[in-house]
Amino acid sequence: MTEWKNSILAHPEKIAVPVMTYPGLQLIGKSVMDMVTIGEVQYHCVKALSAKYPAIGATTLIMDLSVEAEAFGSLINFSENEIPTVSKRLIDSFEQVVNLKIPAIGDGRTKSHLTAARLAADNNTALQVFGGIIGPYSLAGRLYDITEMMTAILIEPEGAHDLLNICTSFLKEYALAFKKAGCNGIVIAEPAAGLLADYQCEEFSSRYVKQIVDFVQDDNFMVVLHNCGNTVSLVESMLGTGAAGFHFGNAVDMCEILPQVPSNRLVFGNLDPAGVIKNGSPEIIKVKTKELLTRTSQYNNFVISSGCDIPPGTKIENIDAFFEAIAEYNKG
Amino acid sequence: MNEIIEKLTTCIEFGKINQKSPFPPSMRGEVGADELTRQALEAGIKPVEILEQGLIPGMNAVGLKFSQGKVFVPEMLMAAKAMSMALVHLKPYFMSGEVKRKGTFIIGTVFGDLHDIGKNLVAMTVEGAGWEVIDLGVDVKTESFLDTLEKYPNCAVGISALLTTTMGNMESVVKLVKEKYPLTKVLVGGAPLNTEFSNKIGADFYSRDPQGAVAYLNNLQNC
């Protein structure tokens, strides 16, 4: 993975690593429900996408932020064509944390996602494969209710830390399972931390993310930390996790982020996945893609990506436009 | 200004709910919005003064700091909780008509979406600005918005969505609300939205933060 990173840093041409699995559903004729429950379907989606877009810089597996909570026992709301979400908090007091059982790897749909990871890694050896897991604070928010978790850090910080410790224990093992499955790295999605102040992010998110990074990251396995909140003031805290890469959402201007990140760490971002990539016309997508590449051209460590998961239902012609714009930009 | 009212404003601004609450640490052990509102009523201060001179300025102060990035969601939620606690004591005066609300605001997360933090923030902030808020919760079907509008035909409506997959559901809600109640103002909000999307689906206003929603609503005269 260090080799891959170094090749990006040394290579003048821009590569693209969009967070993209759902658009593959149209290519293979499956539903969101199939994708989030059947590992083989997820694999065939990313396989179809990497075949259609050979310029893709790495394969990212699904960013499913309900799977870990489900493994803990949370009820999940499923529907045929919408992304699953946690429907109810699992615990309503921190006293209940002691009763939480840390899930085994393979519980719930973790097995399905690891199957997809294994298939992608085994059959896609020419391409880097990133698994996806939720971040500790975001997981705690799903188990305890995100609104309550927000105020808990102020009024019950010890309880919040107890829950975060349990979440992190599981996430370390889950991240390791992706590594054992043959992935080249993982993306840790920690969107809820984007709602915090920098010192709160440090205490209740980054400290725990760092434990996961320390547990799994090495020269062959990269951790990318994703935060799609307003992260301009959180970059220092995110850097402290030690992750080798950072992925930003479209809430920020990359030109405010990039100067804060050392040139030897990769920075991914941040075309608006809904407003531009899903709802924009191919012409707009091309303009926005080239504009972002031009504005960030001085940063060799910048990798263009979507600001978050590209939504289901995004037209293939829009994805085509994204890759065409990058090809045209690289040609000069 | 009355000392109780001044303290009440401070409690709302800094999220001091009651004496028991450990937050903020600098006010630990002191009475909070709960006790002070009760004290103010017992001291004969008019409920409308408590609301307009004590509570609303506190919410405005914290809302401004939130918009400026000086405080964040946790502090904003604590302020809203303190406000809600104070409003419990004023509820009888709203019911009797002694204290008038600025208007009524119906809010809910669009059907298909179970996320509520943004919706909660807006609901609590709008309520704190002197509006009656009818919170329909999450995964709100269009019929539920319409049924509530039938009871409160001059209300404004707020629709929230967090997911790129559910924001599209807003369009049909806005369309049906506007068909049946053309004068109803519809606000939309949520992380993946922007003004362009709001315009496209026919909403009247996109707010990126709770204060924006309050400012827009306060400018409405017909509610």
Side-chain angles (χ1 to χ4, degrees):
Chain A
M1 209 59 190
T2 302
E3 197 179 323
W4 181 71
K5 184 178 84 171
N6 289 339
S7 76
I8 291 171
L9 295 176
H11 213 279
E13 285 200 348
K14 286 293 176 189
I15 66 158
V17 183
V19 182
M20 179 171 72
T21 47
Y22 294 110
L25 291 170
Q26 296 164 71
L27 300 175
I28 65 167
K30 296 288 182 181
S31 68
V32 172
M33 177 72 102
D34 295 331
M35 159 88 92
V36 298
T37 55
I38 306 168
E40 287 78 4
V41 170
Q42 189 182 158
Y43 160 65
H44 284 294
C45 270
V46 295
K47 182 183 170 195
L49 286 166
S50 56
K52 180 164 175 57
Y53 301 108
I56 202 166
T59 286
T60 53
L61 294 169
I62 198 168
M63 203 181 263
D64 177 349
L65 304 188
S66 65
V67 67
E68 297 88 350
E70 184 187 23
F72 269 95
S74 294
L75 291 174
I76 306 298
N77 190 51
F78 290 99
S79 66
E80 197 62 20
N81 283 304
E82 286 173 6
I83 297 169
T85 49
V86 176
S87 61
K88 193 169 172 244
R89 67 194 296 188
L90 186 63
I91 56 171
D92 53 24
S93 82
F94 288 124
E95 281 75 45
Q96 294 172 303
V97 169
V98 290
N99 300 326
L100 284 178
K101 183 171 168 268
I102 297 176
I105 299 307
D107 280 1
R109 287 176 297 124
T110 60
K111 185 178 179 184
S112 156
H113 289 12
L114 290 167
T115 296
R118 192 169 299 108
L119 288 168
D122 287 350
N123 298 305
N124 233 348
T125 48
L127 205 55
Q128 306 296 314
V129 177
F130 284 90
I133 70 170
I134 196 171
Y137 186 72
S138 302
L139 175 55
R142 274 151 180 78
L143 298 178
Y144 188 66
D145 180 273
I146 189 63
T147 302
E148 295 303 319
M149 194 65 193
M150 285 286 156
T151 51
I153 69 170
L154 301 177
I155 55 179
E156 296 180 90
E158 293 90 2
H161 281 301
D162 289 344
L163 179 56
L164 285 161
N165 275 316
I166 296 281
C167 291
T168 306
S169 295
F170 171 64
L171 292 174
K172 282 161 69 175
E173 294 300 331
Y174 191 35
L176 185 63
F178 278 101
K179 187 175 182 179
K180 287 180 178 171
C183 287
N184 306 97
I186 48 165
V187 178
I188 300 178
E190 183 70 313
L195 301 172
L196 304 178
D198 53 356
Y199 62 93
Q200 293 164 341
C201 178
E202 177 62 33
E203 180 177 350
F204 295 97
S205 172
S206 296
R207 180 195 294 185
Y208 294 95
V209 172
K210 185 175 190 311
Q211 289 183 36
I212 303 170
V213 174
D214 290 345
F215 194 64
V216 294
Q217 184 168 267
D218 57 28
D219 285 348
N220 299 309
F221 193 81
M222 172 190 278
V223 176
V224 175
L225 176 58
H226 164 82
N227 187 328
C228 49
N230 188 358
T231 45
V232 175
S233 63
L234 303 182
V235 174
E236 188 179 339
S237 175
M238 292 171 70
L239 288 170
T241 63
F246 302 91
H247 190 284
F248 294 92
N250 53 292
V252 296
D253 179 348
M254 290 311 301
C255 292
E256 288 189 75
I257 299 291
L258 282 158
Q260 299 186 59
V261 183
S263 59
N264 63 347
R265 303 227 222 163
L266 296 182
V267 180
F268 303 77
N270 78 340
L271 273 184
D272 181 349
V276 174
I277 300 179
K278 181 170 189 282
N279 295 320
S281 64
E283 293 73 28
I284 287 174
I285 293 163
K286 279 188 152 188
V287 168
K288 295 283 184 188
T289 303
K290 288 180 186 174
E291 187 181 283
L292 180 58
L293 287 169
T294 303
R295 293 182 69 229
T296 55
S297 60
Q298 69 185 98
Y299 298 98
N300 287 346
N301 59 336
F302 177 67
V303 178
I304 193 162
S305 178
S306 48
C308 202
D309 228 345
I310 296 179
T314 301
K315 291 176 191 160
I316 289 297
E317 65 193 64
N318 286 14
I319 311 290
D320 291 345
F322 172 69
F323 281 100
E324 282 165 19
I326 295 162
E328 288 168 17
Y329 175 86
N330 281 332
K331 276 184 190 166
Chain B
M1 193 189 287
N2 184 292
E3 190 187 347
I4 300 176
I5 293 289
E6 279 183 24
K7 281 185 181 171
L8 195 48
T9 303
T10 304
C11 284
I12 301 298
E13 181 179 351
F14 293 96
K16 178 68 174 170
I17 299 171
N18 54 26
Q19 190 164 21
K20 197 176 151 195
S21 173
F23 184 82
S26 61
M27 295 172 77
R28 194 182 288 260
E30 294 178 23
V31 292
D34 182 17
E35 295 87 357
L36 285 166
T37 308
R38 208 167 49 225
Q39 282 177 26
L41 288 168
E42 285 167 3
I45 299 172
K46 288 182 181 169
V48 69
E49 286 176 26
I50 296 172
L51 179 69
E52 291 180 0
Q53 295 174 29
L55 305 182
I56 291 176
M59 278 307 285
N60 286 344
V62 70
L64 182 63
K65 287 194 282 187
F66 183 73
S67 296
Q68 294 170 336
K70 292 177 180 170
V71 299
F72 293 82
V73 170
E75 291 83 3
M76 192 72 193
L77 285 169
M78 288 303 292
K81 283 190 172 192
M83 181 80 186
S84 295
M85 185 61 85
L87 289 177
V88 168
H89 298 290
L90 298 188
K91 196 170 180 184
Y93 304 95
F94 291 125
M95 304 285 279
S96 70
E98 186 178 336
V99 182
K100 296 262 186 296
R101 304 273 200 180
K102 290 179 181 170
T104 305
F105 181 57
I106 300 169
I107 189 168
T109 304
V110 74
F111 65 88
D113 198 324
L114 300 170
H115 295 87
D116 64 3
I117 190 163
K119 184 266 297 172
N120 290 347
L121 259 181
V122 174
M124 290 194 264
T125 309
V126 170
E127 185 179 36
W131 287 69
E132 181 180 8
V133 173
I134 299 171
D135 186 344
L136 300 178
V138 298
D139 192 18
V140 180
K141 306 286 181 290
T142 309
E143 299 74 41
S144 185
F145 281 109
L146 293 174
D147 289 348
T148 314
L149 266 164
E150 198 173 344
K151 289 181 201 153
Y152 306 92
N154 293 320
C155 293
V157 172
I159 314 169
S160 171
L162 180 75
L163 300 176
T164 52
T165 50
T166 58
M167 59 191 272
N169 297 348
M170 290 173 148
E171 186 165 8
S172 62
V173 182
V174 175
K175 185 167 175 276
L176 289 168
V177 165
K178 288 286 186 183
E179 268 176 21
K180 201 164 179 188
Y181 301 96
L183 297 179
T184 296
K185 299 295 182 190
V186 180
L187 290 72
V188 293
L193 277 68
N194 55 29
T195 300
E196 196 181 347
F197 177 77
S198 167
N199 293 339
K200 189 181 157 203
I201 65 170
D204 295 289
F205 186 69
Y206 158 74
S207 182
R208 58 171 289 129
D209 59 29
Q211 279 309 104
V214 168
Y216 179 80
L217 288 170
N218 284 345
N219 278 331
L220 294 176
Q221 299 298 312
N222 61 340
C223 285

